[in-house]
Amino acid sequence: MGRKIVVALGGNAILSKDASAAAQQQALLATAKQLVKFVENGDQLIISHGNGPQVGNLLLQQAAGSTEENPAMPLDTAVAMTQGSIGYWMQNAMNQVLKEKGLKQTVATVVTQVEVSADDPAFKNPTKPIGPFMSKGEADLAKKENPDFTFIEDSGRGYRRVVPSPKPTGVVETQAVKTLVDAGIIPISVGGGGIPVVTNGDQLIGREAVIDKDFASEKLAELVDADALIILTAVPNIYVNFNQPNQKKLERVSVAELETYIEENQFAPGSMLPKVQAAIDFVKATGNQAVVTALDNIEGFVKNGSGTVISKKVSVRS
Ligand SMILES: Nc1ncnc2c1ncn2[C@@H]1O[C@H](COP(=O)(O)OP(=O)(O)O)[C@@H](O)[C@H]1O
Ligand SMILES: NC(=O)OP(=O)(O)O
């Protein structure tokens, strides 16, 4: 048996500019061609992905077409809908590439509910950007039309709606994911961070929020006893002094060293910070390694271990 790895896909794996189904399917075909390298390496994959742009776009479509008889769906249901659509595209792309490579594995999407605490303070403080970028004028107009919504300026790139993003505390379908892995099937799970649910006796009740997919992937990786958590994004490494002349890439880094960099505010909140925090949580909980690297560096990682590898301790060569 190969290593069991949870691979979290960043935004660039699915959507760059063109939000059409055809363009996202094309992007996922390119992503599948990268992911299959893990399968060729003998690894047992569990795939997760984000949904920020897609779920925000879906809410806008829902609102635009809603009537009393055909009402817009709430956010928890919209998250489930994006798990279905992105899962379909991913399954379809992976099946094609696995067949082309003569590999026998199949792929299945698990509509996944992720437990959150009803008391999570995030419900009162929306921080997760979803949907398209807007100008200040567009955001002001959207706020006028939807006084309950919150909009923020997102890292100099424009304005976006933000929604609550509670921390995941459990994954309801963990056993289903384990069973698929044991059967040699590649699961796609906790898509879009999972559907946020709170426990009320025997009931699970959906909540309107979007969980960060890096945190949800970390929780799933812990619960399925993964050997590694691999977070794939647009950059091959985590850097200190990112985008500055003295930028330095991190290759082998300990949890303690990363924690020092967090204190120095080296990682942008809402982009690299949650990845670093998820990686640290996984290493602390399991003693296993977490990796942050680029989707197009999978070959480099598999062959030479390139990328940022986070461990409990980094051995010093004498
Ligand atoms: N210290 C840092 N090291 C590396 N990348 C950083 C750092 N700080 C911010 N970033 C940015 O964070 C991005 C990853 O976050 P984001 O694009 O939100 O993730 P995702 O790939 O999950 O969509 C990188 O592509 C990079 O532009
Ligand atoms: N749910 C989530 O974290 O999505 P993005 O990665 O697309 O922001």
Side-chain angles (χ1 to χ4, degrees):
M1 281 257 177
R3 293 194 326 157
K4 192 192 299 176
I5 58 175
V6 171
V7 175
L9 296 173
N12 65 326
I14 317 173
L15 176 60
S16 46
K17 278 209 167 74
D18 183 348
S20 68
Q24 296 190 67
Q25 284 177 281
Q26 198 59 41
L28 279 168
L29 187 58
T31 296
K33 287 181 182 165
Q34 298 291 347
L35 287 180
V36 81
K37 293 171 187 168
F38 285 119
V39 184
E40 289 176 301
N41 191 46
D43 296 320
Q44 290 181 288
L45 267 186
I46 298 166
I47 302 170
S48 74
H49 60 82
N51 73 341
Q54 294 83 0
V55 79
N57 289 353
L58 179 57
L59 287 186
L60 291 172
Q61 293 160 9
Q62 293 274 318
S66 73
T67 61
E68 210 171 309
E69 301 77 41
N70 184 12
M73 296 295 126
L75 180 50
D76 53 322
T77 300
V79 171
M81 291 160 82
T82 60
Q83 286 189 347
S85 54
I86 298 171
Y88 149 53
W89 295 333
M90 186 82 235
Q91 279 172 215
N92 188 281
M94 282 296 288
N95 281 334
Q96 178 181 327
V97 176
L98 287 164
K99 278 210 181 103
E100 281 170 4
K101 295 275 179 189
L103 294 161
K104 63 179 185 331
Q105 283 87 345
T106 57
V107 188
T109 299
V110 179
V111 173
T112 313
Q113 302 172 92
V114 169
E115 292 166 77
V116 298
S117 164
D119 304 326
D120 193 311
F123 282 111
K124 295 202 175 93
N125 178 31
T127 56
K128 179 84 190 157
I130 59 167
F133 288 93
M134 289 173 273
S135 66
K136 170 102 174 69
E138 288 168 332
D140 287 345
L141 186 62
K143 177 75 182 169
K144 222 173 184 179
E145 287 168 357
N146 306 279
D148 295 342
F149 289 5
T150 308
F151 298 86
I152 59 145
E153 207 281 322
D154 187 358
S155 321
R157 297 175 297 182
Y159 287 76
R160 277 178 107 184
R161 183 180 170 195
V162 283
V163 296
S165 193
K167 290 282 177 302
T169 60
V171 177
V172 178
E173 286 77 17
T174 297
Q175 190 52 50
V177 172
K178 283 184 173 174
T179 303
L180 288 174
V181 173
D182 291 344
I185 297 167
I186 300 171
I188 301 168
S189 180
V190 298
I195 303 156
V197 293
V198 297
T199 308
N200 182 10
D202 288 339
Q203 266 187 310
L204 293 171
I205 301 169
R207 282 294 166 93
E208 296 215 51
V210 173
I211 300 168
D212 185 287
K213 62 110 183 12
D214 295 314
F215 290 130
S217 306
E218 187 286 320
K219 183 55 69 183
L220 179 66
E222 255 183 60
L223 293 170
V224 301
D225 305 313
D227 297 301
L229 169 66
I230 301 187
I231 298 177
L232 297 173
T233 184
V235 287
N237 288 81
I238 305 175
Y239 297 86
V240 287
N241 306 319
F242 181 61
N243 270 350
Q244 292 167 42
N246 59 344
Q247 164 175 300
K248 185 185 100 185
K249 80 173 163 190
L250 300 175
E251 290 179 287
R252 299 287 175 273
V253 64
S254 69
V255 164
E257 190 180 343
L258 268 188
E259 284 176 336
T260 312
Y261 296 138
I262 291 178
E263 278 170 29
E264 292 172 6
N265 296 320
Q266 289 282 355
F267 311 121
S271 60
M272 190 44 76
L273 184 60
K275 297 180 196 315
V276 170
Q277 287 170 328
I280 289 175
D281 288 350
F282 179 72
V283 175
K284 279 187 171 171
T286 64
N288 296 336
Q289 289 180 332
V291 179
V292 177
T293 193
L295 178 63
D296 59 14
N297 184 49
I298 291 178
E299 191 163 336
F301 171 71
V302 168
K303 287 199 172 143
N304 316 312
S306 69
T308 299
V309 179
I310 302 116
S311 314
K312 227 168 197 169
K313 283 196 181 119
V314 175
S315 53
V316 183
R317 278 195 225 133
S318 52

